[in-house]
Amino acid sequence: MSDAEVALLGIRHHGPGSARAVAAALAGWRPDAVLIEGPPEADDIVHLAAEKDLVPPVALLAHAVDDPAKAAFWPYAEFSPEWVAIRHAVEHDLPVRFIDLPAGYGLAPAGPAGEDAAGEDAAEEPPADPVALLAEAAGHDDPERWWEDVVEHRAPGTDALAPFAAVAEAMGALRAEGLGESRRDLRREAYMRQRIRAARRAGHRRIAVVCGAFHVPALETMPTVAHDRALLAELPKKVRTDITWVPWTHRRLSQTTGYGAGVQSPGWYHHLFTTEGDPVPRWLTRAADLLRAEDHPVSSAHVIEAVRLAETLAVLRGRPLAGLTETLDAVRAVLCEGSDVALELVRDRLVVGDVLGEVPDSAPAVPLQRDLARLQRSLRLKPEAAPRDVDLDLRKENDAARSRLLHRLRLLGVDWGVPARSAIGSTGTFRESWRLCWQPEFAVRIAEAAQWGTTVEEASTAKAVGTARSAVELAELTGLVESCLLAGLSGALPAVMRVLADCAALDTDVAHLAGALPALVRALRYGDVRGTDHGALAEAAAGLAERVCVGLPPACVGLDAESAAAMRGRLDEVHGAIGLLTSDAAPAAVDPGDGPDGPDGPGSADRPDGLADRWAAALRSLAAREPSGGPATGAPGVLRGRAVRLLLDDGRLDSEEAGRRLRLVLSVANAPADAAGWVEGFLTGGGALLLHDPRLLALLDEWLTGVSGEVFTDVLPLLRRTFAGLEAGVRTTIGGRVAAGPLGGPQAHPAPAGELDRARAEAADPVVALLLGVRPKIPRQATGRNT
């Protein structure tokens, strides 16, 4: 054992310069075994790196068998030194082993006294970045730039091990001062030394160890075995884990949170590692191609000048070669002509990038993952890291199957696709639009969802039933019914509907009922195009609608401003839902509101026939609930005004009656704040009716100009919010009419039906002539002749 040679190759994770140095060292030194910092559980699957279908960026995924949500990743890119060492070992048929602490310790439950799973004190200060410490000692304020200059931009020399010796000496100086150390690092290094001893006992004579440079000083001198065993005895009990290879992305490598690696420029690093010779001209050429594809005028002369500028900046800044900073400065100044928008495009597509790795089918995977891969192939839905929009026509069998898959995955918590607004602009239920973007962490969610079943359909069905049984809100259940219908889970619908029926029977909160109804009605609409039997859905929706019609008016009494705003949204949703439920019914007659007791008194109450009539009666009752004895005795003005507007839009009130109600609410007998709320509810959704019926605008103008200064200050925010929600053209026209003078004058009588209204036609003559490019005719009022 003592005759074995050990080469400690200290690297910076995901550093292309370190990767080139490792490749040169392994080729020149020719070890007979390679040890790599990483989870030892991966020893059994590292041979898959020899397969051509394992394409980086990839990651080792380890998760607890009993709790798949507890997971950890070890990502590798093509420019990662560890990946270079793995590839060298498998290509030369060398034993390769991982020597870091097993993942089972890191995924174990938290230990006592505030320690995490690996024994790290949660209150302990995080260790300092050793590269930052070295850069500071060298007089540099930018650690990344310093590391680029001393490591990344230097090619390996004749002695392939010399760079590692220099880095080890620098790290040794830091460790001698106790800088950057943590208790967890000491335990990890103790385990690494145990693995090195095991490799020596196995008879290897030339052992290459690829690990973080910070650990090299601790591995150069071996303490006693008893010392290391004492450190490792403090570890918690290891949990059972599964491990596999999963695809990774450059974008995830660039993130510093979650499962990211904190590599700020993975696309740039990949270019540095894979490009022979000077990388700057080739990278600027790629940037020019990208900008041209986005319609930016970039020529070859731009590229030449950008290369010159980048090299000149490097000389002025005392750098051996142009780095990413100089290159991006040249891109901004020359290729982007100072535009930060175009520069951000280059940063996003080239500096970071959306490269997605690939994993072979032979890699270990849960049955659910294999079924998903089969469906992705059969439906021709390839996972991609870059977001892309997909429009599905549900009348086509393949598109309908794609839709079901995406909806089922969303039920399992895998949001590979999220609904998006269609560029086609169709409002039919036969079309869906999705934005697809595959994220590496979906592998964890799939492993977690495997507890529900071995196929996507089986797992999503079981998950839907389980979610229904644990649901406490009625709206959650109706949303789940909609999701089941969209996902085509006929096996889950009966169980979910039973839970829904029980919950609806016990729930007496009208707000809950109103919030649940729209989802059920949407489910009925989708059922038509998907060929689903929706008899139970229709019965449940009709029952909910009946209860909402009965309970809505009294439920709106005494609401505060926040609750009234929420109820207004539910009122609009329920109105639209009932409109869909009764779309085949004939419209009811207009209520003239001229009964002896008024439009909402006993004399006008009919026995309603059908759901649409009952809903209209509920709206009339709501509109009539005036706060006669104070705000707590009636419905808020915003709800009463909204009810009147919905009745007017449905043709159940005529404009005369709407004007009468507006005149009443704007009278001095009503509180100005309540009147302003009524106006807000009445005008929400469109103010064009103020243009079509000038009498309404005149009433509003008369009321607004008559309120006192103190009251005007109180109602101004509400009125500003109301008119801010109107269309820009409507606001402009209303402002013009108010500025033109009094609005209460006599109204012009329209021309009889079938006859030309000459006054209105002549008013449009100048505009039409301008559009046609002809001279306008002179109006007859000016010439005394007919035109």
Side-chain angles (χ1 to χ4, degrees):
M1 283 197 310
S2 59
D3 296 334
E5 296 182 70
V6 178
L8 299 174
L9 309 181
I11 52 100
R12 191 183 191 195
H13 302 296
H14 310 295
S18 294
R20 286 192 297 268
V22 166
L26 294 178
W29 199 63
R30 296 182 180 179
D32 60 2
V34 178
L35 306 183
I36 301 172
E37 180 183 336
E41 292 93 337
D43 288 350
D44 295 334
I45 61 172
V46 70
H47 66 278
L48 294 175
E51 298 191 18
K52 63 179 181 179
D53 292 334
L54 186 64
V55 181
V58 292
L60 289 168
L61 162 63
H63 64 83
V65 173
D66 297 330
D67 187 3
K70 293 182 178 179
F73 289 95
W74 288 261
Y76 303 113
E78 189 173 355
F79 52 82
S80 300
E82 299 93 333
W83 179 257
V84 171
I86 292 172
R87 289 290 302 170
H88 177 89
V90 297
E91 288 174 359
H92 293 82
D93 198 23
L94 299 177
V96 55
R97 298 289 183 268
F98 291 96
I99 62 172
D100 206 346
L101 271 178
Y105 290 121
L107 301 177
E115 292 186 345
D116 66 9
E120 186 78 24
D121 188 352
E124 185 177 338
E125 288 290 332
D129 180 10
V131 174
L133 294 173
L134 291 175
E136 183 180 358
H140 290 258
D141 58 354
D142 189 339
E144 295 296 328
R145 180 181 297 183
W146 175 81
W147 184 263
E148 272 193 352
D149 289 346
V150 299
V151 177
E152 306 298 348
H153 289 167
R154 299 187 183 277
T158 55
D159 185 358
L161 298 180
F164 299 104
V167 173
E169 181 181 0
M171 293 298 172
L174 291 179
R175 299 294 293 265
E177 298 293 331
L179 299 175
E181 287 186 352
S182 68
R183 191 68 177 171
R184 181 171 181 270
D185 283 333
L186 296 179
R187 295 188 179 96
R188 293 174 61 200
E189 291 159 356
Y191 193 87
M192 293 180 190
R193 290 191 291 265
Q194 294 282 55
R195 298 283 285 182
I196 294 174
R197 294 185 183 104
R200 285 174 169 171
R201 289 194 299 270
H204 299 296
R205 291 295 175 262
R206 295 174 68 84
I207 304 170
V209 179
V210 180
C211 64
F214 184 76
H215 303 300
V216 170
L219 304 182
E220 285 180 327
T221 57
M222 289 281 187
T224 64
V225 175
H227 174 273
D228 289 342
R229 286 177 177 172
L231 282 173
L232 297 176
E234 302 172 0
L235 291 171
K237 182 180 179 180
K238 184 169 63 173
V239 301
R240 291 191 307 120
T241 58
D242 282 339
I243 196 166
T244 187
W245 291 102
V246 295
W248 208 249
T249 67
H250 278 177
R251 190 168 301 280
R252 184 62 64 187
L253 279 172
S254 69
Q255 296 183 2
T256 57
T257 59
Y259 298 118
V263 182
Q264 297 179 1
S265 50
W268 169 257
Y269 277 5
H270 181 270
H271 179 78
L272 289 181
F273 183 72
T274 57
T275 302
E276 298 291 338
D278 189 355
V280 174
R282 290 182 174 86
W283 196 84
L284 287 172
T285 301
R286 292 176 57 200
D289 290 341
L290 171 64
L291 292 172
R292 288 193 198 104
E294 298 294 332
D295 295 329
H296 291 273
V298 179
S299 66
S300 56
H302 285 85
V303 177
I304 295 172
E305 290 303 319
V307 172
R308 290 176 179 170
L309 178 57
E311 294 173 347
T312 302
L313 288 173
V315 173
L316 291 174
R317 295 169 181 174
R319 306 193 66 182
L321 290 173
L324 179 60
T325 303
E326 288 73 30
T327 306
L328 288 179
D329 287 345
V331 169
R332 177 194 282 112
V334 181
L335 302 188
C336 300
E337 297 180 343
S339 170
D340 286 334
V341 175
L343 178 66
E344 190 58 35
L345 177 66
V346 175
R347 286 183 184 274
D348 184 70
R349 301 279 185 86
L350 297 184
V351 178
V352 178
D354 285 307
V355 178
L356 177 66
E358 298 179 11
V359 172
D361 294 336
S362 56
V366 295
L368 179 61
Q369 175 66 59
R370 297 194 183 281
D371 183 61
L372 174 58
R374 176 187 63 81
L375 291 171
Q376 288 170 336
R377 289 192 298 270
S378 64
L379 298 177
R380 298 186 296 279
L381 269 180
K382 182 180 179 181
E384 295 178 356
R388 67 186 180 102
D389 293 332
V390 176
D391 287 314
L392 302 179
D393 186 342
L394 302 182
R395 296 169 296 184
K396 299 179 180 179
E397 183 177 353
N398 190 68
D399 282 2
R402 288 178 170 183
S403 172
R404 289 192 295 270
L405 173 62
L406 294 174
H407 281 293
R408 289 171 181 176
L409 290 176
R410 283 174 61 82
L411 275 171
L412 295 174
V414 181
D415 292 330
W416 176 23
V418 294
R421 184 181 297 274
S422 174
I424 300 176
S426 172
T427 59
T429 58
F430 62 84
R431 186 175 298 278
E432 283 183 348
S433 295
W434 295 84
R435 170 154 290 189
L436 305 183
C437 183
W438 186 263
Q439 301 293 340
E441 58 266 28
F442 289 162
V444 177
R445 299 179 188 174
I446 292 172
E448 189 176 5
Q451 62 179 307
W452 297 104
T454 57
T455 66
V456 175
E457 181 177 4
E458 178 185 340
S460 55
T461 298
K463 177 69 179 297
V465 174
T467 302
R469 290 171 178 169
S470 61
V472 294
E473 295 288 342
L474 186 60
E476 182 181 357
L477 284 169
T478 54
L480 184 60
V481 169
E482 181 183 13
S483 298
C484 289
L485 186 62
L486 296 174
L489 300 179
S490 56
L493 270 177
V496 177
M497 289 300 300
R498 284 195 298 271
V499 178
L500 173 64
D502 294 341
C503 186
L506 298 175
D507 199 332
T508 58
D509 191 326
V510 175
H512 291 171
L513 300 177
L517 180 61
L520 275 184
V521 176
R522 287 195 302 267
L524 285 172
R525 290 187 69 208
Y526 285 111
D528 293 336
V529 71
R530 295 169 190 267
T532 306
D533 181 12
H534 52 266
L537 290 178
E539 182 179 351
L544 281 181
E546 294 284 356
R547 294 178 61 187
V548 170
C549 290
V550 172
L552 180 67
C556 294
V557 173
L559 297 180
D560 58 20
E562 183 177 354
S563 301
M567 184 62 79
R568 188 191 68 183
R570 295 190 184 98
L571 189 66
D572 287 339
E573 292 177 353
V574 171
H575 184 75
I578 291 180
L580 291 174
L581 281 176
T582 60
S583 57
D584 294 332
V590 174
D591 176 16
D594 55 358
D597 299 295
D600 304 297
S604 64
D606 301 327
R607 184 177 299 276
D609 297 323
L611 179 59
D613 289 340
R614 287 190 285 277
W615 174 243
L619 291 178
R620 293 191 190 99
S621 176
L622 173 59
R625 292 183 179 265
E626 303 281 348
S628 56
T633 63
V638 66
L639 297 180
R640 304 197 320 274
R642 193 66 193 146
V644 171
R645 176 62 183 272
L646 295 178
L647 290 169
L648 177 64
D649 289 346
D650 275 1
R652 302 218 174 229
L653 286 180
D654 56 22
S655 59
E656 293 284 346
E657 175 62 18
R660 189 186 71 83
R661 290 171 181 261
L662 177 60
R663 187 179 302 106
L664 289 175
V665 80
L666 295 181
S667 65
V668 295
N670 281 347
D674 183 73
W678 198 99
V679 171
E680 179 186 11
F682 186 70
L683 295 182
T684 297
L689 57 88
L690 293 179
L691 304 180
H692 299 319
D693 192 343
R695 290 170 298 178
L696 298 180
L697 180 58
L699 286 172
L700 185 60
D701 180 61
E702 180 182 358
W703 168 76
L704 189 58
T705 56
V707 297
S708 64
E710 296 80 3
V711 174
F712 180 79
T713 303
D714 294 336
V715 301
L716 179 60
L718 193 58
L719 292 172
R720 291 190 63 178
R721 184 177 65 195
T722 301
F723 282 91
L726 303 182
E727 303 87 341
V730 172
R731 293 201 306 269
T732 302
T733 307
I734 290 177
R737 290 191 179 180
V738 172
L743 299 172
Q747 303 297 316
H749 297 285
E755 295 186 13
L756 176 64
D757 190 334
R758 291 187 174 276
R760 297 181 62 190
E762 289 171 354
D765 273 352
V767 177
V768 174
L770 180 61
L771 293 175
L772 297 178
V774 298
R775 294 182 62 183
K777 294 182 178 180
I778 302 174
R780 62 180 178 178
Q781 288 87 344
T783 62
R785 295 181 290 109
N786 292 332
T787 55

